[in-house]
Every structure is written in C-alpha cells, then in structure tokens.
Amino acid sequence: MTPAQHLTIVTGSSRGLGRALAEQLLSPQRVLLCLARRPCDDLAHQAMQAGAHLEQWSQDLTDTAEAAERLARWLHSLHAPGLDSATLINNAGVIPAIGPLNDCPPDELARALRVGLEAPMALTGAFLRATQAWVDAGWQGTRKVLNISSGLGRRAMAGQAPYCAAKAGLDHFSRCTALDEARRPRGARIASLAPGVIDTDMQTQLRAGDPARFPDHARFVGLKTEGLLATPAQAARQVLSHLDRPDFGDPVVADVRD
C-alpha cells in the first residue's frame, strides 16, 4: 500500500451520488476502495491523473456474506499504523418495481432489502470487527461509518414500501450500533444521513412510475421541472462536509437540509 493517511470505502460508486463521492475523495493522501457491480474506467483514469490510490471491486451486494468476508480479509491485510482514519460509506441502494407491496416481485423485494439494509449491516459489522482489532493492537486512528439514508426512511410513501423500509432500517440500525460503539473505548462514530433530493437514475425511475400505482408521481415530476434537484456533485459536497464535522454522529440520524 502506498503511504497514505486516510482509508475510505464507498459502495455503489459507479453512478449517481456514489460516483460523485468517489470522485471528490480521490487524493494522494487517501486509499479509496470502491464497491460496485461494475468498475468505472473513468474513475480509474481520474485516480491515475490525481496520483490517488484507488481500488475498485466488482461486487454483487446481494451476496452479503461474500462481500463482508471479502472486505474483512482486505482490511486485515492493510498496514493500519500507516493510516490516520478509516471510514465506511454505505451508499448503495435500489428501488424495486413501483407499486403496492402485493405487486412487488419477490426477487425484487429481496434484492432491495439485501442491497439497501442487509449489505450495509454486514459490511459495517466486518468493518467494525477488523478495525477494532487495530484499536486493540494500539492503533490511534479515528473510525466512522456513514450510512446514506433518505427522507423516505422517515416519511412513508405509497408504492415504495421496500425502499422506505430499508432506509428506516438503516436509520435504526445506525442508532443501535452507535449505542454499542459508545460503550467501547475508542468506539467508532456512526451516522445515517439523508442527502436531500438528487438528480439521479433513481429519480428518473420514480418519474417513470405509473401514477395510478404511485400517488406521489406528480411530486417527483415537479421536483425536476421546478429545478429542485441537487446535482450528484452538489450533494456529495454536502455529504462529505457532514462527514468532516467535529460532531459527526451527534445526532446519529441526520439530514443535510437540517
């Protein structure tokens, strides 16, 4: 590993907010690990130009056990004394078919919950176990877990029960994990952050929904036509600013618009 001061792991890094986060995190002072279904050639080129240490994994997050085991092995292979901090950003998420729960195909329901909730929990567990071993061995760095949540985890919406449930679960597992970490010497800091409304493929998917099955359809169309959507780059800057706050994790559940 090249000399670096910070380690950051980002899931769902091939597009949207995850891609913007990865681009803004590229730095010679950072080891950046990106997990996505497909590696991004443009991101690799940007890393080369910036002299940044980038690793990209092609990883199916529906195989949560394999993803967590792979991350644990990789973390254990690192030279922790060369790092000042370690951060996990759980960003990946998917929206299943838009409509009532009884119309949601079982495979899409399972995928939404695995990618949006089970994978963040499994990866967080692997990250905390591995980095706690560093702490137990005398490492003095800081550890953070940032879960990218949504206002829809805090406000119910018809036609999207799986996505809303995954984000609500993300919020509450963050609260529980923060309580666990607060009991440990040098415990990690945890936050579940709603990043606002962003002009991504997810918004496109919502606008394409059938109004008869999706009562909030007009609202999402209006966000686009009225210019109320942030660009992924704008949202990424706000998210990373929150990550750098000295009071990160207080409160655990937060919103960039607060």
Side-chain angles (χ1 to χ4, degrees):
M1 185 177 68
T2 57
Q5 296 174 321
H6 305 284
L7 165 67
T8 305
I9 303 155
V10 181
T11 70
S13 55
S14 62
R15 58 184 181 175
L17 177 61
R19 168 73 177 274
L21 287 169
E23 289 175 344
Q24 293 179 29
L25 285 164
L26 289 173
S27 164
Q29 287 75 47
R30 185 182 312 277
V31 173
L32 179 61
L33 171 63
C34 291
L35 282 66
R37 283 178 295 173
R38 290 176 294 276
C40 177
D41 291 341
D42 287 345
L43 189 61
H45 180 68
Q46 291 176 48
M48 186 179 303
Q49 288 185 317
H53 184 120
L54 170 69
E55 290 201 33
Q56 296 191 81
W57 292 355
S58 177
Q59 180 64 56
D60 181 359
L61 291 179
T62 62
D63 190 346
T64 56
E66 198 276 336
E69 290 169 5
R70 186 180 184 186
L71 178 62
R73 289 193 303 270
W74 186 79
L75 288 169
H76 285 300
S77 76
L78 300 181
H79 180 63
L83 298 169
D84 289 337
S85 70
T87 301
L88 169 64
I89 302 177
N90 286 306
N91 164 75
V94 293
I95 286 186
I98 298 171
L101 182 61
N102 53 295
D103 292 339
C104 184
D107 60 334
E108 292 192 29
L109 171 61
R111 181 167 177 261
L113 294 177
R114 285 176 180 165
V115 174
L117 181 56
E118 185 180 333
M121 293 183 75
L123 292 172
T124 297
F127 174 82
L128 293 176
R129 283 190 296 273
T131 56
Q132 183 63 47
W134 300 354
V135 173
D136 293 344
W139 184 66
Q140 296 295 307
T142 59
R143 298 181 293 151
K144 297 180 182 179
V145 176
L146 174 58
N147 292 319
I148 301 299
S149 185
S150 170
L152 294 180
R154 302 155 201 180
R155 182 184 70 82
M157 183 177 73
Q160 267 306 296
Y163 183 79
C164 291
K167 293 303 185 182
L170 201 67
D171 286 349
H172 213 46
F173 115 70
S174 299
R175 292 185 181 101
C176 295
T177 304
L179 291 173
D180 289 333
E181 289 300 302
R183 300 176 64 239
R184 301 180 187 275
R186 303 190 57 78
R189 286 182 281 167
I190 317 291
S192 188
L193 182 68
V197 286
I198 311 169
D199 196 3
T200 63
D201 291 346
M202 191 171 291
Q203 286 286 326
T204 302
Q205 187 177 348
L206 289 168
R207 291 194 300 272
D210 179 358
R213 294 161 48 83
F214 183 37
D216 285 285
H217 177 266
R219 172 174 171 260
F220 284 91
V221 172
L223 289 172
K224 177 68 171 180
T225 58
E226 295 170 26
L228 299 178
L229 298 175
T231 67
Q234 289 169 334
R237 283 192 290 271
Q238 287 187 293
V239 168
L240 294 178
S241 176
H242 187 92
L243 184 64
D244 287 339
R245 289 172 56 129
D247 62 347
F248 174 82
D250 183 18
V252 174
V253 175
D255 191 307
V256 295
R257 295 162 290 193
D258 291 341

